[in-house]
């Protein structure tokens, strides 16, 4: 009996490890996949409508997150009980829009590899904004770990053969907005009564993003719907690209939730850092964008800084 129980426990542990590995693989594939497909659509394919593309993402996230949370129950639905709480979610939705649109706009002008290098400075912006809004100070070694991150991105920018100033500015804006969302989320949803898991947060934020992006896309990207229909008549693959790309946006969020559930916040942070490096290598292999030794040195320095930052945060906690 004891041996049978031990074998059952070992089998359960092996199944749990295998499940976690599959989820992490799906998380990596969806994250890298949406980056590459966004780049292909916005730059190589010539679909130059990043706001509309983001609108498609958010519409898919609205529909699929509702199906997942409200119908399937993965995870259980968490209701908004007050208008104040709904207003806070709306504010997060606005910042979320800026971060996603900025990232997509940047991919029109700069390679995925450089986009990910700039995105590596998210911890720096998070630390700065956290101090501005909450006066929370990190330890000196946590701030010291951010020095190679920033220095690495500066070096990577200097050595980037495909550097584009506007693309760089939009990528920095997206990165800082992503950090601001993290800080605001911690501030306004910090109490146990208001805390939402990532999927329920997406359920409420995505419709807000759709409401904000619809007029923005209509005004800024004039006739985008008729242009997309015209493109589809010439090449119907654009519809499949948009549908698949939009579903990937939801899968990114779903797998992020599942990875956090099956591992830990620190593991997610470490895996996320490694994911950026994977995206850089894969994008260079696929798009064959030129890279310089200086750029590689800068990105490597940034990755080392992120690793040191993760270690410093773990030491503090």
């Amino acid at each position: 009996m004891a041996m049978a129980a031990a074998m059952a426990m070992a089998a359960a542990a092996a199944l749990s490890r295998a499940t976690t590995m599959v989820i992490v693989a799906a998380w990596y594939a969806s994250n890298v996949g949406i980056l590459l497909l966004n780049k292909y659509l916005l730059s190589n394919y010539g679909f130059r409508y990043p706001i509309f593309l983001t609108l498609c993402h958010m519409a898919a996230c609205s529909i699929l997150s509702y199906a997942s949370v409200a119908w399937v129950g993965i995870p259980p639905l968490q209701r908004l009980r007050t208008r104040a709480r709904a207003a806070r979610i709306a504010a997060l939705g606005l910042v979320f829009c800026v971060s996603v649109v900025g990232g997509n706009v940047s991919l029109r002008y700069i390679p995925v590899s450089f986009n990910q290098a700039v995105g590596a400075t998210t911890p720096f912006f998070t630390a700065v904004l956290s101090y501005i809004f909450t006066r929370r100070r990190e330890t000196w070694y946590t701030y010291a770990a951010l020095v190679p991150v920033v220095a690495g991105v500066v070096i990577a920018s200097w050595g980037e053969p495909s550097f584009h100033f506007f693309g760089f500015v939009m990528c920095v804006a997206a990165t800082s907005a992503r950090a601001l969302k993290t800080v605001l989320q911690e501030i306004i949803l910090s109490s146990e009564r208001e805390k939402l898991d990532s999927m329920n947060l997406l359920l409420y934020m995505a419709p807000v993003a759709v409401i904000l992006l619809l007029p923005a896309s209509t005004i800024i990207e004039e006739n985008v719907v008729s242009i997309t229909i015209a493109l589809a008549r010439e090449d119907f693959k654009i519809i499949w690209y948009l549908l698949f790309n939009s579903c990937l946006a939801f899968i990114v969020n779903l797998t992020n939730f599942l990875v956090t559930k099956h591992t830990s916040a620190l593991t997610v942070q470490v895996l996320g850092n490694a994911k950026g490096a994977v995206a850089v290598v894969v994008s260079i292999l696929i798009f064959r964008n030129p890279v310089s030794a200086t750029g590689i040195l800068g990105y490597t320095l940034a990755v080392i800084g992120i690793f040191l930052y993760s270690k410093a945060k773990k030491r503090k906690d």
Side-chain angles (χ1 to χ4, degrees):
M1 288 291 291
M3 183 176 292
M7 290 178 63
M9 289 178 63
L15 179 61
S16 178
R17 285 194 296 270
T19 301
T20 301
M21 290 175 64
V22 169
I23 291 170
V24 170
W27 185 49
Y28 266 53
S30 59
N31 271 276
V32 175
I34 196 169
L35 268 172
L36 298 179
L37 190 50
N38 283 348
K39 177 63 179 177
Y40 174 75
L41 284 170
L42 295 167
S43 184
N44 297 59
Y45 188 85
F47 186 79
R48 305 186 185 282
Y49 306 101
I51 301 176
F52 181 74
L53 182 62
T54 309
L55 174 61
C56 293
H57 290 177
M58 294 301 100
C61 286
S62 297
I63 296 168
L64 296 176
S65 62
Y66 182 81
S68 176
V69 175
W71 294 349
V72 182
I74 303 176
L77 177 64
Q78 295 173 281
R79 297 190 180 277
L80 298 182
R81 304 187 186 281
T82 65
R83 290 184 180 179
R85 193 181 190 192
R88 291 165 186 165
I89 298 295
L92 282 175
L94 174 60
V95 178
F96 183 54
C97 276
V98 173
S99 68
V100 179
V101 170
N104 285 342
V105 170
S106 73
L107 287 173
R108 275 192 59 186
Y109 302 99
I110 62 175
V112 173
S113 54
F114 188 44
N115 174 281
Q116 290 296 288
V118 176
T121 58
T122 301
F124 167 77
F125 286 105
T126 303
V128 171
L129 292 171
S130 182
Y131 177 75
I132 292 173
F133 284 97
T134 67
R135 290 290 184 254
R136 188 180 70 186
R137 300 189 182 193
E138 302 288 351
T139 57
W140 69 267
Y141 44 83
T142 302
Y143 286 123
L146 292 172
V147 173
V149 175
V150 177
V153 172
V154 170
I155 293 171
S157 302
W158 184 264
E160 175 56 48
S162 305
F163 181 85
H164 189 284
F165 181 74
F166 180 70
F168 172 74
V169 169
M170 293 306 298
C171 193
V172 171
T175 302
S176 56
R178 196 178 307 123
L180 179 60
K181 174 183 169 290
T182 301
V183 173
L184 292 179
Q185 185 175 328
E186 185 177 338
I187 294 171
I188 67 181
L189 299 175
S190 58
S191 69
E192 288 300 322
R193 289 182 64 247
E194 294 203 336
K195 190 173 290 184
L196 294 172
D197 59 59
S198 60
M199 282 298 293
N200 273 277
L201 187 60
L202 179 69
L203 171 68
Y204 294 115
M205 281 199 313
V208 173
V210 170
I211 293 170
L212 294 171
L213 291 169
L214 187 58
S217 178
T218 303
I219 295 169
I220 298 172
E221 299 172 334
E222 191 175 355
N223 299 322
V224 63
V225 175
S226 57
I227 291 170
T228 304
I229 293 172
L231 284 172
R233 287 172 180 163
E234 296 176 10
D235 182 9
F236 195 76
K237 285 188 294 185
I238 184 63
I239 301 299
W240 294 115
Y241 286 147
L242 291 174
L243 285 173
F244 180 62
N245 187 259
S246 300
C247 290
L248 269 182
F250 170 73
I251 294 172
V252 166
N253 288 279
L254 177 62
T255 52
N256 180 73
F257 167 78
L258 292 174
V259 168
T260 305
K261 182 180 178 181
H262 284 264
T263 58
S264 66
L266 181 62
T267 302
V268 170
Q269 189 177 35
V270 174
L271 290 172
N273 297 339
K275 174 172 58 65
V278 171
V280 168
V281 173
V282 173
S283 70
I284 291 172
L285 292 175
I286 292 178
F287 295 113
R288 301 192 179 280
N289 53 280
V291 291
S292 65
T294 305
I296 294 173
L297 172 64
Y299 190 72
T300 302
L301 185 60
V303 170
I304 292 171
I306 293 171
F307 174 76
L308 294 175
Y309 175 80
S310 300
K311 295 286 285 183
K313 292 288 287 183
K314 182 181 179 182
R315 179 179 170 185
K316 177 187 174 184
D317 297 338

